[in-house]
Amino acid sequence: MVKTVIIEAHGGPEQFRIVDREVGAPGKGEIRIRHENCGLNFIDVYQRSGLYKLDLPHAMGMEGAGVVEAVGEGVSHLKKGDRAAYASMPPGSYSEARVMPAAQVCKLPDEISFELGAAMMLKGMTVVYLFQRTTPIKKGDTVLFHAAAGGVGLLACQWARSEGIRLIGTAGTDEKCRLAEENGADVCINYRDGDWVQKVRDLTDGQGVDVVMDAVGKDTFDGSLDCLKPLGMMISFGNASGPVPPFNLATLAGKGSLKITRPTLFTHIAKHEDCQAIAAALFEKVANGDVEIRIDQRFALDDVAEAQRALEARETTGQTVLTV
């Protein structure tokens, strides 16, 4: 029997229940992993709230790191005793141990701790697909990144710096702006202090940016389109302020034949070989020091409701982990 966090109804953090569940042997294509740490992400909030519906009751959590305890038939890239980390469906990482599909579980290099592994997989692999797999971005290009002091944002700032890409960030306080700049943002705009769209235009001599990466959603969407240069790419990859409402596609033509995509990490890692390659790119950046995983908040698994409240209130910076 292992401790597992579940929800039985969608809603606020008060919906969490901590129960004891039996964990059996892995079946074909599965592993059993005992967690040391698990990660905290906005997708967990979306699933809990019902923005992303789950069949209930359901275990929670998308990201974890620990030790492989058993391997099912057909699994060849992992073995019992391996250190491993993952960010993948289905939810269930808020637990002491679980049985799960093995294809998206990755062997964790010895030089990367379990805590870092749990903190980096979902956000780090997101940064990899944003910069390497969504639209061509080359040295010298300019990217506008919203929430640049958040978990994904700080990694994106460092990634851009390591690739010679100019990153203009936005954040909600001067302190967060300084943090983004310390991590590699060329400049970070406090969007509460004046017209951030005009500031982006001024910083690009009126030309606009090549790419916008926006996980905020509703509150920044229209302004983000106004920051793009003709033929620019809008990558809308999250809904922190709420989902983007419907809009007229002709708007993209009128603003300069803009392009837009709404990707998810789980599409990019759906194939085993793609997932392993994306993880390898992330591990390389972390191992060589180009990207540092900053863990600013730690909570016990029992305090998961408090952790999610802090995340929703935008009181967190960097990464947050739960200790199992």
Side-chain angles (χ1 to χ4, degrees), residues 217-222 236 239 241-248 260:
K218 176 175 65 69
D219 290 352
T220 52
F221 182 78
D222 290 337
S236 178
N239 316 283
S241 66
V244 175
F247 74 101
N248 188 340
I260 188 167

Side-chain angles (χ1 to χ4, degrees), residues 215-265:
V216 175
K218 176 175 65 69
D219 290 352
T220 52
F221 182 78
D222 290 337
S224 292
L225 295 181
D226 289 335
C227 289
L228 281 166
K229 64 174 55 173
L231 304 179
M233 169 64 84
M234 170 71 173
I235 306 174
S236 178
F237 69 102
N239 316 283
S241 66
V244 175
F247 74 101
N248 188 340
L249 277 176
T251 300
L252 302 179
K255 291 182 181 293
S257 300
L258 304 181
K259 295 166 281 188
I260 188 167
T261 183
R262 180 53 174 94
T264 71
L265 172 64

Side-chain angles (χ1 to χ4, degrees), residues 16-64:
F16 287 126
R17 302 285 183 269
I18 300 177
V19 300
D20 288 328
R21 280 187 165 184
E22 185 174 355
V23 177
K28 185 176 181 180
E30 295 181 329
I31 63 160
R32 186 173 71 236
I33 184 169
R34 182 159 295 273
H35 295 125
E36 295 287 337
N37 297 96
C38 52
L40 188 75
N41 299 283
F42 256 105
I43 191 173
D44 307 342
V45 174
Y46 302 154
Q47 291 171 343
R48 187 211 70 220
S49 70
L51 180 62
Y52 297 169
K53 298 291 186 183
L54 296 174
D55 293 330
L56 302 177
H58 209 295
M60 297 299 296
M62 300 294 295
E63 180 178 44

Side-chain angles (χ1 to χ4, degrees), residues 66-299:
V67 178
V68 177
E69 289 191 324
V71 173
E73 179 187 350
V75 177
S76 59
H77 70 291
L78 294 168
K79 64 181 185 303
K80 181 178 178 180
D82 277 350
R83 305 169 74 255
Y86 66 89
S88 66
M89 296 289 279
S93 69
Y94 291 0
S95 63
E96 293 176 322
R98 68 183 294 199
V99 169
M100 64 181 295
Q104 280 68 46
V105 181
C106 306
K107 188 173 181 180
L108 189 65
D110 291 341
E111 61 267 30
I112 298 176
S113 70
F114 290 121
E115 188 177 61
L116 291 178
M120 70 190 286
M121 295 299 288
L122 193 146
K123 300 178 187 72
M125 291 197 296
T126 295
V127 170
V128 176
Y129 89 68
L130 287 174
F131 281 89
Q132 291 191 344
R133 297 173 61 91
T134 306
T135 190
I137 304 175
K138 63 184 183 300
K139 183 177 180 179
D141 283 350
T142 300
V143 169
L144 173 63
F145 199 101
H146 291 295
V152 178
L154 291 182
L155 300 184
C157 290
Q158 295 178 67
W159 192 285
R161 178 173 57 189
S162 75
E163 297 286 325
I165 296 163
R166 185 188 187 199
L167 187 144
I168 299 171
T170 68
T173 68
D174 290 343
E175 181 182 8
K176 287 186 175 183
C177 284
R178 285 193 295 271
L179 183 59
E181 290 170 357
E182 289 168 3
N183 278 267
D186 183 74
V187 64
C188 188
I189 300 166
N190 185 339
Y191 63 80
R192 301 183 192 277
D193 184 20
D195 185 346
W196 59 268
V197 174
Q198 186 59 51
K199 290 180 180 180
V200 172
R201 304 295 298 190
D202 291 344
L203 287 165
T204 58
D205 297 323
Q207 298 302 304
V209 301
D210 299 283
V211 178
V212 175
M213 299 178 180
D214 187 353
V216 175
K218 176 175 65 69
D219 290 352
T220 52
F221 182 78
D222 290 337
S224 292
L225 295 181
D226 289 335
C227 289
L228 281 166
K229 64 174 55 173
L231 304 179
M233 169 64 84
M234 170 71 173
I235 306 174
S236 178
F237 69 102
N239 316 283
S241 66
V244 175
F247 74 101
N248 188 340
L249 277 176
T251 300
L252 302 179
K255 291 182 181 293
S257 300
L258 304 181
K259 295 166 281 188
I260 188 167
T261 183
R262 180 53 174 94
T264 71
L265 172 64
F266 304 108
T267 303
H268 283 279
I269 65 172
K271 294 181 180 179
H272 168 73
E273 58 273 19
D274 290 340
C275 179
Q276 301 300 315
I278 290 172
L282 174 62
F283 293 154
E284 181 180 1
K285 286 283 190 183
V286 173
N288 68 21
D290 284 337
V291 171
E292 179 182 355
I293 309 300
R294 176 183 172 131
I295 300 174
D296 288 340
Q297 298 80 212
R298 295 171 174 84
F299 294 86

